Amino acid sequence: MPHNVYIYLFIMAAVTYLVRVLPLTLIRREITNKYLKAFLYYVPYVTLAVMTFPSIIEATGEPLTAMAALVAASVLAWYGGSLFQVAALSCAVVFMLERFVI
């Protein structure tokens, strides 16, 4: 069966259009449900985490070094480290562990 690229493009365009238009047409009033508002508030953060964490684990040669760097970066970020400090610490932890330990 030959594959027609235009059918795939049409389906992709239709699905993309529906995902954007349906909320605009179905939700016309302000959302007052506090659970739904809380869910919608956290959706971008969860999406970013789901996209980022697997890449963090696979970014180094050893997943253990990546986890150590993630923990070190999380602790430094929790205590108010700047973005540069967190990135530099993560790189240093991975370098030290892969160079001298593993």
Side-chain angles (χ1 to χ4, degrees):
M1 182 174 144
H3 297 281
N4 191 348
V5 175
Y6 294 110
I7 292 174
Y8 297 139
L9 288 174
F10 175 75
I11 291 172
M12 181 184 68
V15 169
T16 302
Y17 182 75
L18 285 176
V19 166
R20 284 171 170 68
V21 167
L22 279 179
L24 291 175
T25 57
L26 296 178
I27 303 171
R28 294 186 176 260
R29 294 178 295 162
E30 182 180 347
I31 298 171
T32 57
N33 186 341
K34 65 180 182 180
Y35 296 109
L36 183 59
K37 288 176 90 172
F39 172 76
L40 293 174
Y41 178 78
Y42 287 111
V43 165
Y45 302 109
V46 171
T47 304
L48 182 63
V50 167
M51 290 178 2
T52 304
F53 284 126
S55 297
I56 291 172
I57 301 302
E58 296 173 355
T60 63
E62 291 288 330
L64 187 62
T65 60
M67 287 296 297
L70 176 64
V71 169
S74 298
V75 169
L76 183 60
W78 183 264
Y79 286 108
S82 68
L83 181 61
F84 177 76
Q85 291 170 334
V86 170
L89 177 68
S90 300
C91 294
V93 167
V94 169
F95 177 75
M96 298 296 270
L97 287 176
E98 287 193 351
R99 181 83 172 168
F100 299 113
V101 176
I102 296 177

